[in-house]
Amino acid sequence: MLRFACPVCAREVFFDDRRCRSCGTELVFDRGTADFVPAEDRNRCANAEVIRCPWMAHHPGAFCTACQLTRRRPDPANREAVRNWAAAEQAKRHVVVELDRLGLSLQPRNETEGTGLAIDMEWSDDGSVTIGHNDGVITLDAAEADDARRERLRSRLAEPYRTMLGHLRHEIGHYWWPLLVDQASGEGGRLAEVRKLFGDERADYQDAIDAHYADGPPDGWRSRFVSAYATMHPWEDWAETFAHYLHIRDTLDTASRFGLAVRVPLLGVDKPVTASVLADDRDVEVEVLFREWGALTVAVNALNRSMDQPDLYPFALGGDVKAKLAMVHDLVLAGPVD
Ligand SMILES: [Zn+2]
Ligand SMILES: [Zn+2]
Ligand SMILES: [Zn+2]
């Protein structure tokens, strides 16, 4: 994530702030410049009070361009639902900015043209909302922003990592699949290359889900898949790998902006590895990403253990997983097909 400075006093401002903590200036976030500007004479998003959205709107009474992606929202009378929805929108704004910088800008759904993305922010108190993506529409259960509920699910499903940001990155991976992989490309196109690594996505999806929940992941999956969930079907493998690519790009970007350098002799490099890759860096070799990420995660996982917290990045990237991440990297840099 980018770092920000108050336009008035130059002190640090954080992504979800609405006013400078130092000089008190009211601020709004302008997606166009990816920076904060004084709120004076500008329009706040129509969700500014409801969910504390800090973004600028282009017209009085309008939603900001992040809130415009949300098609359905919880009942405003349900305060618990609105509180969780606000947290889900916070994660969404984070991923919107990351994707802008990666060249994968999200635009609201246009049903007539069949383009863009809509997000239905549902809320359930019994887990009855199924998170997923279907044809340009992502459904989220905003209740998963509730820590206790999400942790119960994470523990029951034996997942090492479960967050709202992770859900969004995964589902947005499904959204970008046909556009980045070029579903219409024939032999020799992007799709054929993707199938070589991820498998044939024409495999029956329901059969694959049933088999996964009946038998669990295949033996030895860790060297080939980034998560157990990714073993289920080539589409899920793609979405999981895409989500990890976004985890890596965003977290390395943050580390780079703070000038983090770590010494990890185990990797055979005794001089510090300094994080340097920014999310909008278009020329970066994937090997540089892996080297910096590998060094950084050893250090940040150790930091978390010093605070008795779970590992920040509780995953290991096997050889096949790196090949898949390298393909996502190439396709993101190549950009979506029209
Ligand atoms: Zn200030
Ligand atoms: Zn907004
Ligand atoms: Zn999925």
Side-chain angles (χ1 to χ4, degrees):
M1 174 50 78
L2 294 158
R3 295 179 75 185
F4 308 98
C6 170
V8 175
C9 74
R11 295 289 183 87
E12 182 133 19
V13 170
F14 296 98
F15 184 56
D16 294 303
D17 286 346
R18 304 202 315 162
R19 65 200 296 263
C20 173
R21 294 159 194 248
S22 181
C23 71
T25 301
E26 292 285 324
L27 302 170
V28 285
F29 183 80
D30 176 0
R31 180 180 174 185
T33 58
D35 210 350
F36 282 92
V37 289
E40 203 176 30
D41 303 329
R42 279 151 173 121
N43 305 300
R44 278 202 184 277
C45 171
N47 274 337
E49 298 312 316
V50 197
I51 55 166
R52 301 190 55 75
C53 176
W55 282 28
M56 187 174 88
H58 290 296
H59 310 286
F63 291 120
C64 73
T65 55
C67 287
Q68 283 172 15
L69 294 165
T70 298
R71 189 175 69 169
R72 289 169 52 84
R73 62 198 60 212
D75 176 1
N78 184 336
R79 290 173 63 184
E80 187 189 356
V82 170
R83 195 170 60 244
N84 291 325
W85 168 44
E89 289 289 349
Q90 193 173 329
K92 192 183 77 184
R93 289 191 296 273
H94 194 115
V95 81
V96 163
V97 169
E98 181 185 12
L99 288 167
D100 280 350
R101 299 178 60 215
L102 286 169
L104 299 178
S105 199
L106 296 176
Q107 302 302 328
R109 185 96 188 132
N110 180 326
E111 286 299 347
T112 318
E113 294 177 13
T115 57
L117 174 69
I119 300 181
D120 287 344
M121 292 280 191
E122 307 288 357
W123 185 85
S124 73
D125 53 11
D126 57 0
S128 56
V129 171
T130 303
I131 296 173
H133 167 266
N134 184 24
D135 204 12
V137 179
I138 288 173
T139 303
L140 286 180
D141 188 351
E144 286 234 9
D146 181 273
D147 293 339
R149 273 189 63 168
R150 191 183 58 259
E151 177 57 22
R152 269 199 302 278
L153 265 174
R154 189 198 67 74
S155 174
R156 200 178 80 214
L157 298 169
E159 293 175 346
Y161 174 88
R162 190 177 181 93
T163 65
M164 187 53 80
L165 196 50
H167 285 317
L168 277 159
R169 287 177 172 154
H170 174 105
E171 300 307 334
I172 286 169
H174 285 304
Y175 167 73
W176 279 115
W177 191 89
L179 301 158
L180 287 178
V181 170
D182 190 4
Q183 207 160 4
S185 65
E187 291 299 316
R190 291 182 183 185
L191 181 57
E193 290 302 307
V194 168
R195 280 181 183 155
K196 279 185 205 157
L197 273 180
F198 289 85
D200 193 331
E201 82 290 350
R202 290 167 294 189
D204 188 273
Y205 187 75
Q206 192 56 49
D207 286 355
I209 292 178
D210 294 345
H212 178 78
Y213 286 113
D215 308 329
D219 289 342
W221 63 267
R222 286 174 199 278
S223 64
R224 294 186 289 133
F225 298 90
V226 74
S227 67
Y229 196 77
T231 67
M232 196 154 72
H233 186 276
W235 278 335
E236 298 309 334
D237 193 10
W238 164 269
E240 284 287 271
T241 308
F242 183 90
H244 277 258
Y245 183 73
L246 296 196
H247 294 332
I248 293 169
R249 291 302 305 255
D250 187 58
T251 310
L252 261 187
D253 183 81
T254 306
S256 303
R257 295 198 175 263
F258 279 90
L260 285 189
V262 294
R263 185 175 283 121
V264 188
L266 283 177
L267 296 179
V269 196
D270 200 25
K271 61 176 191 192
V273 176
T274 305
S276 69
V277 183
L278 302 177
D280 37 18
D281 188 342
R282 308 289 302 171
D283 303 319
V284 61
E285 300 279 341
V286 77
E287 288 306 323
V288 176
L289 277 181
F290 291 147
R291 185 171 71 241
E292 293 187 3
W293 185 240
L296 185 73
T297 50
V298 171
V300 292
N301 285 349
L303 284 177
N304 272 23
R305 287 170 210 159
S306 285
M307 287 294 289
D308 198 11
Q309 292 289 314
D311 282 1
L312 182 89
Y313 190 67
F315 302 93
L317 303 179
D320 291 355
V321 177
K322 284 186 170 171
K324 291 172 189 172
L325 282 164
M327 173 157 284
V328 171
H329 178 67
D330 289 345
L331 292 176
V332 167
L333 293 189
V337 291
D338 292 332

Short mmCIF file of all heavy atoms in Angstrom, two decimals, residues 64-108:
data_model
loop_
_atom_site.label_atom_id
_atom_site.label_comp_id
_atom_site.label_asym_id
_atom_site.label_seq_id
_atom_site.Cartn_x
_atom_site.Cartn_y
_atom_site.Cartn_z
N CYS A 64 -18.62 7.35 -4.12
CA CYS A 64 -17.27 7.32 -4.70
C CYS A 64 -17.17 6.14 -5.66
O CYS A 64 -18.06 5.28 -5.70
CB CYS A 64 -16.23 7.20 -3.58
SG CYS A 64 -16.18 5.56 -2.83
N THR A 65 -16.08 6.07 -6.41
CA THR A 65 -16.00 5.01 -7.43
C THR A 65 -15.78 3.63 -6.81
O THR A 65 -16.00 2.62 -7.49
CB THR A 65 -14.89 5.31 -8.45
OG1 THR A 65 -13.66 5.49 -7.74
CG2 THR A 65 -15.21 6.53 -9.28
N ALA A 66 -15.35 3.55 -5.55
CA ALA A 66 -15.26 2.23 -4.89
C ALA A 66 -16.65 1.79 -4.45
O ALA A 66 -17.06 0.65 -4.69
CB ALA A 66 -14.31 2.28 -3.71
N CYS A 67 -17.39 2.70 -3.83
CA CYS A 67 -18.75 2.35 -3.38
C CYS A 67 -19.67 2.05 -4.57
O CYS A 67 -20.63 1.28 -4.44
CB CYS A 67 -19.32 3.45 -2.50
SG CYS A 67 -18.55 3.50 -0.85
N GLN A 68 -19.38 2.64 -5.73
CA GLN A 68 -20.21 2.36 -6.92
C GLN A 68 -20.13 0.90 -7.35
O GLN A 68 -20.99 0.41 -8.08
CB GLN A 68 -19.77 3.25 -8.09
CG GLN A 68 -20.26 4.68 -7.97
CD GLN A 68 -19.64 5.58 -9.03
OE1 GLN A 68 -19.06 5.11 -10.01
NE2 GLN A 68 -19.73 6.87 -8.83
N LEU A 69 -19.07 0.21 -6.93
CA LEU A 69 -18.95 -1.21 -7.30
C LEU A 69 -19.92 -2.07 -6.50
O LEU A 69 -20.21 -3.21 -6.87
CB LEU A 69 -17.52 -1.71 -7.02
CG LEU A 69 -16.40 -1.11 -7.87
CD1 LEU A 69 -15.04 -1.41 -7.24
CD2 LEU A 69 -16.45 -1.67 -9.29
N THR A 70 -20.41 -1.54 -5.38
CA THR A 70 -21.31 -2.31 -4.53
C THR A 70 -22.75 -2.19 -5.03
O THR A 70 -23.30 -1.10 -5.09
CB THR A 70 -21.22 -1.82 -3.07
OG1 THR A 70 -19.88 -2.03 -2.62
CG2 THR A 70 -22.18 -2.56 -2.16
N ARG A 71 -23.32 -3.35 -5.40
CA ARG A 71 -24.67 -3.36 -5.97
C ARG A 71 -25.73 -3.56 -4.89
O ARG A 71 -26.75 -2.90 -4.88
CB ARG A 71 -24.76 -4.47 -7.02
CG ARG A 71 -26.03 -4.45 -7.83
CD ARG A 71 -26.00 -5.49 -8.92
NE ARG A 71 -26.08 -6.85 -8.40
CZ ARG A 71 -26.27 -7.93 -9.15
NH1 ARG A 71 -26.37 -7.81 -10.47
NH2 ARG A 71 -26.34 -9.13 -8.61
N ARG A 72 -25.48 -4.50 -4.00
CA ARG A 72 -26.42 -4.74 -2.91
C ARG A 72 -25.70 -4.52 -1.58
O ARG A 72 -24.52 -4.82 -1.45
CB ARG A 72 -26.96 -6.18 -2.97
CG ARG A 72 -27.91 -6.40 -4.14
CD ARG A 72 -28.21 -7.89 -4.31
NE ARG A 72 -28.66 -8.52 -3.07
CZ ARG A 72 -29.92 -8.52 -2.63
NH1 ARG A 72 -30.86 -7.94 -3.35
NH2 ARG A 72 -30.23 -9.11 -1.50
N ARG A 73 -26.42 -4.01 -0.62
CA ARG A 73 -25.83 -3.73 0.69
C ARG A 73 -26.79 -4.17 1.78
O ARG A 73 -28.00 -4.29 1.53
CB ARG A 73 -25.57 -2.23 0.81
CG ARG A 73 -26.84 -1.40 0.72
CD ARG A 73 -26.56 0.04 0.42
NE ARG A 73 -25.88 0.19 -0.86
CZ ARG A 73 -25.00 1.14 -1.13
NH1 ARG A 73 -24.72 2.03 -0.23
NH2 ARG A 73 -24.44 1.21 -2.30
N PRO A 74 -26.27 -4.40 2.99
CA PRO A 74 -27.15 -4.88 4.06
C PRO A 74 -28.20 -3.85 4.46
O PRO A 74 -28.05 -2.65 4.19
CB PRO A 74 -26.19 -5.14 5.23
CG PRO A 74 -24.84 -5.22 4.63
CD PRO A 74 -24.87 -4.34 3.42
N ASP A 75 -29.22 -4.33 5.11
CA ASP A 75 -30.30 -3.49 5.64
C ASP A 75 -29.70 -2.43 6.58
O ASP A 75 -29.06 -2.76 7.58
CB ASP A 75 -31.26 -4.41 6.42
CG ASP A 75 -32.37 -3.65 7.10
OD1 ASP A 75 -32.42 -2.40 6.97
OD2 ASP A 75 -33.18 -4.31 7.78
N PRO A 76 -29.92 -1.12 6.26
CA PRO A 76 -29.30 -0.07 7.08
C PRO A 76 -29.80 -0.07 8.53
O PRO A 76 -29.14 0.51 9.41
CB PRO A 76 -29.70 1.23 6.36
CG PRO A 76 -30.79 0.86 5.42
CD PRO A 76 -30.66 -0.60 5.12
N ALA A 77 -30.94 -0.71 8.78
CA ALA A 77 -31.47 -0.75 10.15
C ALA A 77 -30.73 -1.79 11.00
O ALA A 77 -30.83 -1.78 12.23
CB ALA A 77 -32.97 -1.07 10.13
N ASN A 78 -30.00 -2.68 10.35
CA ASN A 78 -29.27 -3.72 11.08
C ASN A 78 -27.86 -3.22 11.41
O ASN A 78 -26.97 -3.25 10.57
CB ASN A 78 -29.22 -5.00 10.21
CG ASN A 78 -28.55 -6.15 10.93
OD1 ASN A 78 -27.76 -5.96 11.85
ND2 ASN A 78 -28.88 -7.35 10.51
N ARG A 79 -27.68 -2.74 12.63
CA ARG A 79 -26.43 -2.05 12.95
C ARG A 79 -25.23 -2.99 12.91
O ARG A 79 -24.13 -2.60 12.52
CB ARG A 79 -26.54 -1.37 14.32
CG ARG A 79 -27.50 -0.18 14.24
CD ARG A 79 -27.78 0.41 15.58
NE ARG A 79 -26.58 0.96 16.20
CZ ARG A 79 -26.55 1.47 17.42
NH1 ARG A 79 -27.63 1.48 18.15
NH2 ARG A 79 -25.43 1.95 17.92
N GLU A 80 -25.42 -4.23 13.34
CA GLU A 80 -24.30 -5.18 13.31
C GLU A 80 -23.88 -5.44 11.86
O GLU A 80 -22.69 -5.46 11.54
CB GLU A 80 -24.72 -6.49 14.00
CG GLU A 80 -23.54 -7.44 14.13
CD GLU A 80 -23.97 -8.83 14.61
OE1 GLU A 80 -25.16 -9.03 14.91
OE2 GLU A 80 -23.08 -9.71 14.65
N ALA A 81 -24.89 -5.60 11.00
CA ALA A 81 -24.59 -5.85 9.58
C ALA A 81 -23.86 -4.65 8.97
O ALA A 81 -22.89 -4.81 8.23
CB ALA A 81 -25.89 -6.13 8.82
N VAL A 82 -24.30 -3.45 9.30
CA VAL A 82 -23.67 -2.25 8.73
C VAL A 82 -22.23 -2.11 9.24
O VAL A 82 -21.33 -1.75 8.47
CB VAL A 82 -24.52 -0.99 9.05
CG1 VAL A 82 -23.77 0.29 8.68
CG2 VAL A 82 -25.86 -1.05 8.30
N ARG A 83 -22.01 -2.45 10.50
CA ARG A 83 -20.65 -2.37 11.05
C ARG A 83 -19.71 -3.34 10.30
O ARG A 83 -18.59 -2.98 9.91
CB ARG A 83 -20.68 -2.71 12.55
CG ARG A 83 -19.42 -2.32 13.28
CD ARG A 83 -19.57 -2.44 14.79
NE ARG A 83 -19.89 -3.80 15.21
CZ ARG A 83 -21.02 -4.15 15.80
NH1 ARG A 83 -21.94 -3.25 16.05
NH2 ARG A 83 -21.24 -5.40 16.15
N ASN A 84 -20.19 -4.54 10.04
CA ASN A 84 -19.36 -5.51 9.30
C ASN A 84 -19.21 -5.11 7.84
O ASN A 84 -18.15 -5.30 7.24
CB ASN A 84 -19.98 -6.91 9.41
CG ASN A 84 -19.87 -7.47 10.82
OD1 ASN A 84 -18.89 -7.22 11.51
ND2 ASN A 84 -20.88 -8.19 11.26
N TRP A 85 -20.25 -4.58 7.27
CA TRP A 85 -20.19 -4.13 5.88
C TRP A 85 -19.13 -3.02 5.75
O TRP A 85 -18.35 -3.00 4.80
CB TRP A 85 -21.59 -3.64 5.46
CG TRP A 85 -21.63 -2.88 4.19
CD1 TRP A 85 -20.99 -3.21 3.03
CD2 TRP A 85 -22.35 -1.67 3.92
NE1 TRP A 85 -21.26 -2.26 2.06
CE2 TRP A 85 -22.08 -1.32 2.58
CE3 TRP A 85 -23.18 -0.85 4.68
CZ2 TRP A 85 -22.63 -0.17 1.99
CZ3 TRP A 85 -23.73 0.27 4.10
CH2 TRP A 85 -23.45 0.60 2.77
N ALA A 86 -19.10 -2.12 6.73
CA ALA A 86 -18.11 -1.04 6.68
C ALA A 86 -16.69 -1.62 6.63
O ALA A 86 -15.83 -1.14 5.89
CB ALA A 86 -18.27 -0.14 7.91
N ALA A 87 -16.46 -2.68 7.42
CA ALA A 87 -15.12 -3.30 7.43
C ALA A 87 -14.85 -3.98 6.08
O ALA A 87 -13.72 -3.95 5.57
CB ALA A 87 -15.03 -4.31 8.57
N ALA A 88 -15.89 -4.57 5.49
CA ALA A 88 -15.72 -5.22 4.18
C ALA A 88 -15.40 -4.17 3.11
O ALA A 88 -14.56 -4.39 2.22
CB ALA A 88 -16.98 -6.00 3.81
N GLU A 89 -16.04 -3.02 3.19
CA GLU A 89 -15.77 -1.94 2.21
C GLU A 89 -14.35 -1.40 2.36
O GLU A 89 -13.72 -1.00 1.38
CB GLU A 89 -16.78 -0.80 2.38
CG GLU A 89 -18.20 -1.13 1.93
CD GLU A 89 -18.35 -1.25 0.42
OE1 GLU A 89 -17.43 -0.87 -0.34
OE2 GLU A 89 -19.42 -1.74 -0.01
N GLN A 90 -13.87 -1.39 3.60
CA GLN A 90 -12.50 -0.94 3.85
C GLN A 90 -11.51 -1.86 3.10
O GLN A 90 -10.59 -1.38 2.43
CB GLN A 90 -12.26 -1.01 5.36
CG GLN A 90 -11.04 -0.31 5.84
CD GLN A 90 -11.01 -0.32 7.37
OE1 GLN A 90 -12.05 -0.30 8.03
NE2 GLN A 90 -9.83 -0.35 7.93
N ALA A 91 -11.74 -3.17 3.21
CA ALA A 91 -10.89 -4.12 2.49
C ALA A 91 -11.03 -3.92 0.98
O ALA A 91 -10.07 -3.99 0.22
CB ALA A 91 -11.26 -5.55 2.87
N LYS A 92 -12.26 -3.63 0.54
CA LYS A 92 -12.49 -3.45 -0.89
C LYS A 92 -11.73 -2.23 -1.42
O LYS A 92 -11.11 -2.30 -2.48
CB LYS A 92 -13.99 -3.31 -1.19
CG LYS A 92 -14.29 -3.40 -2.68
CD LYS A 92 -15.75 -3.18 -2.97
CE LYS A 92 -16.08 -1.71 -2.89
NZ LYS A 92 -17.53 -1.46 -3.07
N ARG A 93 -11.78 -1.13 -0.69
CA ARG A 93 -11.05 0.07 -1.15
C ARG A 93 -9.55 -0.24 -1.27
O ARG A 93 -8.88 0.21 -2.21
CB ARG A 93 -11.27 1.24 -0.17
CG ARG A 93 -12.67 1.80 -0.22
CD ARG A 93 -12.78 3.12 0.54
NE ARG A 93 -12.54 2.98 1.97
CZ ARG A 93 -13.46 2.66 2.88
NH1 ARG A 93 -14.72 2.47 2.51
NH2 ARG A 93 -13.15 2.56 4.15
N HIS A 94 -9.05 -1.02 -0.34
CA HIS A 94 -7.63 -1.38 -0.37
C HIS A 94 -7.29 -2.12 -1.68
O HIS A 94 -6.33 -1.78 -2.37
CB HIS A 94 -7.35 -2.28 0.84
CG HIS A 94 -5.90 -2.47 1.16
ND1 HIS A 94 -5.33 -2.03 2.31
CD2 HIS A 94 -4.91 -3.07 0.45
CE1 HIS A 94 -4.03 -2.34 2.32
NE2 HIS A 94 -3.76 -2.98 1.20
N VAL A 95 -8.13 -3.08 -2.02
CA VAL A 95 -7.82 -3.88 -3.21
C VAL A 95 -8.09 -3.07 -4.49
O VAL A 95 -7.39 -3.25 -5.50
CB VAL A 95 -8.58 -5.23 -3.16
CG1 VAL A 95 -10.00 -5.14 -3.59
CG2 VAL A 95 -7.85 -6.29 -3.98
N VAL A 96 -9.03 -2.14 -4.45
CA VAL A 96 -9.29 -1.28 -5.62
C VAL A 96 -8.04 -0.48 -5.97
O VAL A 96 -7.63 -0.39 -7.13
CB VAL A 96 -10.49 -0.34 -5.35
CG1 VAL A 96 -10.53 0.82 -6.34
CG2 VAL A 96 -11.82 -1.12 -5.43
N VAL A 97 -7.40 0.08 -4.94
CA VAL A 97 -6.20 0.89 -5.20
C VAL A 97 -5.05 0.02 -5.68
O VAL A 97 -4.32 0.37 -6.61
CB VAL A 97 -5.82 1.70 -3.93
CG1 VAL A 97 -4.44 2.33 -4.08
CG2 VAL A 97 -6.86 2.78 -3.67
N GLU A 98 -4.90 -1.15 -5.07
CA GLU A 98 -3.83 -2.04 -5.52
C GLU A 98 -4.03 -2.41 -7.00
O GLU A 98 -3.09 -2.39 -7.80
CB GLU A 98 -3.78 -3.32 -4.67
CG GLU A 98 -2.64 -4.24 -5.14
CD GLU A 98 -2.58 -5.59 -4.43
OE1 GLU A 98 -3.55 -5.96 -3.74
OE2 GLU A 98 -1.56 -6.28 -4.61
N LEU A 99 -5.26 -2.75 -7.36
CA LEU A 99 -5.53 -3.16 -8.75
C LEU A 99 -5.34 -2.00 -9.72
O LEU A 99 -4.87 -2.21 -10.84
CB LEU A 99 -6.93 -3.76 -8.85
CG LEU A 99 -7.05 -5.15 -8.21
CD1 LEU A 99 -8.51 -5.54 -8.07
CD2 LEU A 99 -6.30 -6.20 -9.01
N ASP A 100 -5.71 -0.80 -9.31
CA ASP A 100 -5.44 0.37 -10.17
C ASP A 100 -3.95 0.43 -10.50
O ASP A 100 -3.55 0.67 -11.64
CB ASP A 100 -5.83 1.68 -9.45
CG ASP A 100 -7.32 1.96 -9.50
OD1 ASP A 100 -8.04 1.27 -10.25
OD2 ASP A 100 -7.78 2.87 -8.78
N ARG A 101 -3.14 0.21 -9.48
CA ARG A 101 -1.69 0.35 -9.68
C ARG A 101 -1.11 -0.82 -10.48
O ARG A 101 -0.06 -0.67 -11.11
CB ARG A 101 -1.01 0.49 -8.32
CG ARG A 101 -1.52 1.75 -7.59
CD ARG A 101 -0.90 1.91 -6.23
NE ARG A 101 0.53 2.03 -6.34
CZ ARG A 101 1.38 1.54 -5.44
NH1 ARG A 101 0.94 0.90 -4.39
NH2 ARG A 101 2.67 1.70 -5.61
N LEU A 102 -1.79 -1.95 -10.44
CA LEU A 102 -1.33 -3.10 -11.24
C LEU A 102 -1.88 -3.06 -12.67
O LEU A 102 -1.62 -3.96 -13.47
CB LEU A 102 -1.77 -4.42 -10.58
CG LEU A 102 -1.00 -4.84 -9.32
CD1 LEU A 102 -1.72 -5.99 -8.63
CD2 LEU A 102 0.43 -5.24 -9.66
N GLY A 103 -2.67 -2.03 -12.99
CA GLY A 103 -3.23 -1.93 -14.34
C GLY A 103 -4.49 -2.75 -14.53
O GLY A 103 -4.89 -3.05 -15.66
N LEU A 104 -5.14 -3.15 -13.41
CA LEU A 104 -6.37 -3.95 -13.50
C LEU A 104 -7.51 -3.19 -12.82
O LEU A 104 -8.16 -3.68 -11.90
CB LEU A 104 -6.17 -5.31 -12.81
CG LEU A 104 -5.09 -6.22 -13.38
CD1 LEU A 104 -4.99 -7.51 -12.56
CD2 LEU A 104 -5.38 -6.57 -14.85
N SER A 105 -7.75 -2.00 -13.30
CA SER A 105 -8.72 -1.12 -12.68
C SER A 105 -10.13 -1.72 -12.71
O SER A 105 -10.59 -2.18 -13.75
CB SER A 105 -8.69 0.20 -13.44
OG SER A 105 -9.25 1.20 -12.66
N LEU A 106 -10.81 -1.70 -11.57
CA LEU A 106 -12.18 -2.24 -11.50
C LEU A 106 -13.18 -1.14 -11.82
O LEU A 106 -13.10 -0.04 -11.27
CB LEU A 106 -12.47 -2.77 -10.09
CG LEU A 106 -11.63 -3.96 -9.63
CD1 LEU A 106 -11.97 -4.30 -8.18
CD2 LEU A 106 -11.84 -5.18 -10.52
N GLN A 107 -14.12 -1.45 -12.72
CA GLN A 107 -15.17 -0.50 -13.08
C GLN A 107 -16.53 -1.12 -12.76
O GLN A 107 -16.68 -2.34 -12.82
CB GLN A 107 -15.10 -0.18 -14.59
CG GLN A 107 -13.76 0.38 -15.04
CD GLN A 107 -13.36 1.67 -14.31
OE1 GLN A 107 -14.21 2.46 -13.93
NE2 GLN A 107 -12.06 1.86 -14.10
N PRO A 108 -17.52 -0.27 -12.42
CA PRO A 108 -18.83 -0.82 -12.07
C PRO A 108 -19.46 -1.59 -13.23
O PRO A 108 -19.20 -1.32 -14.40
CB PRO A 108 -19.67 0.41 -11.72
CG PRO A 108 -18.70 1.51 -11.51
CD PRO A 108 -17.48 1.19 -12.31
#
